[in-house]
Amino acid sequence: MEYGIQLPVQSQSTIYAEPWEAGAGPGDLAEVARAADRAGFAYIAACDHVAVPRRLAPAMSTVWYDPVATLAFLAGVTERVRLLSHVAVVGLRHPLLTAKQYATLDHLSGGRLILGVGAGHVQEEFEALGVDFAGRGAVLDESIDALRKALGPEEFPEHHGKLYDFEGLGQRPRPAQPRVPVWVGGSSPAAVRRAALKGDGWLPQGDPRDRLPAQIDRIRRLRAEAGIEGPFSVGAIAEPLYVGTPTWDVGRRTLSGAPDALAESLRAYRAMGVDQIQVRFRSRGRTELIDQISAFGADTAPHL
């Protein structure tokens, strides 16, 4: 079972950001990404919001780095770890624009992109950019189809749909990968169906352990009924972690303890059919976070 991390600093929702992140910057982000690269993490991830309305700012904050710029920056300071947009709200942008950005990122990083996509949830963001919020599901569905073409091997991709229509327009560089993996985020019935039928993987939005088996069974059933074969990555977001015995209050939901005990708990995800877990560590600063990442990679991950 692989493991990845949603990076700190680049998004600072009050739901998960640690206090030290408010004063952190690019150097901290780069050091954490390097630590994850060294520790064998499968991916590092960055979020996507163009603008946060004032009514949501107290909870969400307005700190949301651009995912393409952020992942491109981190591609230059890492060697092997994959680069995940978790998730890009691709319906906010024309597919050719999205393809240009992410194809370039894949090209520059030597084929390390995983394109995570989602429908989005902030109505004012859509309205400001002139995109239909109520119809965002249909927009995402066609965007995925168009991006499959625009991120494929053809220099002049072609797509003819209800919302987007293009041909005879060349885009280079092409992605380094023959097929850029598309992971679909979200846990609503529509999102799970979209992941099963259009994605190469599923990124749940915080489903608790007891809800995951039914969701995974539905994905398998939908794919079987549609006759879809091939690799498919099932993800999960683990509880907050702390490797070792904490000397401070890490919160009652946090899993802490010896590395092998943590691994035993996390292996329950694999038993459900999960292929990759996204982990987040409690920390009081960059140094402690890097120590946690290193300890997880060296002492917990081998038991997964």
Side-chain angles (χ1 to χ4, degrees), residues 243-263:
V243 184
T245 302
T247 58
W248 56 287
D249 183 9
V250 295
R252 63 180 183 84
R253 289 189 59 250
T254 299
L255 299 179
S256 62
D260 56 342
L262 287 180

Side-chain angles (χ1 to χ4, degrees), residues 132-285:
D132 178 21
F133 179 75
R136 65 193 184 282
V139 172
L140 177 55
D141 284 339
E142 187 172 333
S143 293
I144 294 173
D145 294 339
L147 285 167
R148 290 287 194 193
K149 298 292 183 63
L151 289 171
E154 298 298 326
E155 180 181 354
F156 293 88
E158 182 175 341
H159 171 80
H160 303 287
K162 294 181 180 179
L163 301 170
Y164 306 112
D165 190 285
F166 54 82
E167 66 175 309
L169 296 167
Q171 287 190 328
R172 294 182 70 183
R174 306 307 304 150
Q177 298 177 85
R179 178 183 172 94
V180 173
V182 176
W183 291 0
V184 178
S187 294
S188 69
V192 171
R193 180 178 182 82
R194 183 177 296 117
L197 300 182
K198 291 183 174 292
D200 302 305
W202 176 51
L203 294 164
Q205 190 61 41
D207 289 71
R209 293 192 187 206
D210 60 358
R211 192 181 176 202
L212 279 171
Q215 297 276 59
I216 295 170
D217 286 345
R218 180 166 181 252
I219 287 173
R220 289 172 174 165
R221 184 174 66 254
L222 287 168
R223 289 176 64 83
E225 290 171 353
I228 301 173
E229 299 179 349
F232 187 89
S233 178
V234 174
I237 299 177
E239 300 84 350
L241 303 177
Y242 193 91
V243 184
T245 302
T247 58
W248 56 287
D249 183 9
V250 295
R252 63 180 183 84
R253 289 189 59 250
T254 299
L255 299 179
S256 62
D260 56 342
L262 287 180
E264 182 179 1
S265 177
L266 295 174
R267 283 199 300 271
Y269 285 105
R270 186 71 185 109
M272 299 176 198
V274 170
D275 302 299
Q276 63 87 6
I277 53 171
Q278 186 171 117
V279 296
R280 176 176 285 273
F281 303 96
R282 295 303 315 276
S283 63
R284 293 164 294 180

Side-chain angles (χ1 to χ4, degrees), residues 7 33 42-46 67-68 70-86 102 105-106 108-116 177 180-181:
L7 289 167
Y43 65 78
I44 52 177
V68 179
T70 303
L71 294 174
F73 166 63
L74 297 175
V77 299
T78 56
E79 295 181 358
R80 48 148 295 279
V81 69
R82 303 203 72 177
L83 310 165
L84 169 66
S85 57
H86 187 185
Y102 282 101
L105 173 58
D106 194 63
L108 292 173
S109 67
R112 290 196 272 151
L113 171 67
I114 302 171
L115 181 60
Q177 298 177 85
V180 173

Side-chain angles (χ1 to χ4, degrees), residues 15-75:
I15 295 173
Y16 49 72
E18 300 284 9
W20 67 267
E21 295 178 48
D28 303 286
L29 191 58
E31 288 302 319
V32 172
R34 289 189 186 103
D37 196 24
R38 293 192 301 268
F41 280 61
Y43 65 78
I44 52 177
C47 302
D48 181 25
H49 277 292
V50 172
V52 177
R54 194 178 298 275
R55 69 177 178 90
L56 295 176
M60 291 180 63
S61 91
T62 58
V63 179
W64 296 84
Y65 288 27
D66 177 79
V68 179
T70 303
L71 294 174
F73 166 63
L74 297 175

